[in-house]
């Protein structure tokens, strides 16, 4: 069974999102990638991975900065697995990821 998350874009900007999907349980292996886009205010359910690759290993946000008119990217990857408050815990124990701000990868997670 694949993983499923609901993403909500409250950043106020259009964003391209890349899910970094863990290969099995090893955070050291190169991540698999899956891309999708979200309009400002959009909510989207995303199915990713497969029965062997169900954990997220990170997120990448890419957006056009309105002030500088340049393409900006922020990336964060899991560097350790474990319980709260690790990034792994945030990504993999919650079903809803809300993007609050693109710069700095400001997200919140809930069920």
């Amino acid at each position: 069974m694949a993983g499923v998350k609901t993403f909500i874009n409250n950043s106020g900007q259009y964003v391209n999102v890349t899910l970094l999907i863990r290969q099995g349980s090893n955070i050291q292996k190169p991540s698999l990638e899956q891309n999708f886009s979200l309009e400002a205010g959009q909510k989207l359910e995303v199915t990713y991975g497969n029965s062997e690759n169900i954990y997220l290993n990170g997120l990448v946000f890419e957006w056009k900065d309105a002030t500088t008119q340049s393409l900006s990217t922020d990336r964060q990857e899991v560097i350790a697995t474990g319980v709260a408050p690790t990034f792994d815990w945030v990504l993999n124990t919650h079903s809803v990821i809300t993007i609050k701000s693109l710069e700095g990868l400001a997200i919140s997670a809930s069920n």
Side-chain angles (χ1 to χ4, degrees), residues 2-78:
V4 178
K5 301 277 185 218
T6 299
F7 285 84
I8 303 169
N9 182 5
N10 287 343
S11 73
Q13 296 181 63
Y14 181 89
V15 61
N16 293 315
V17 178
T18 301
L19 301 180
L20 303 176
I21 304 164
R22 187 174 306 157
Q23 291 191 57
S25 61
N26 188 343
I27 64 171
Q28 301 304 320
K29 288 185 177 179
S31 297
L32 305 170
E33 295 186 2
Q34 181 173 322
N35 302 301
F36 62 94
S37 298
L38 289 170
E39 297 281 346
Q42 185 179 1
K43 177 179 181 178
L44 180 66
E45 185 174 272
V46 178
T47 301
Y48 61 91
N50 55 40
S51 61
E52 294 177 15
N53 305 311
I54 61 169
Y55 298 110
L56 290 180
N57 220 31
L59 297 172
V60 180
F61 294 162
E62 183 180 70
W63 71 99
K64 185 176 181 181
D65 186 305
T67 305
T68 64
Q69 293 298 306
S70 63
L71 193 61
S72 296
T73 303
D74 251 330
R75 177 185 185 112
Q76 185 170 345
E77 291 187 59
V78 170

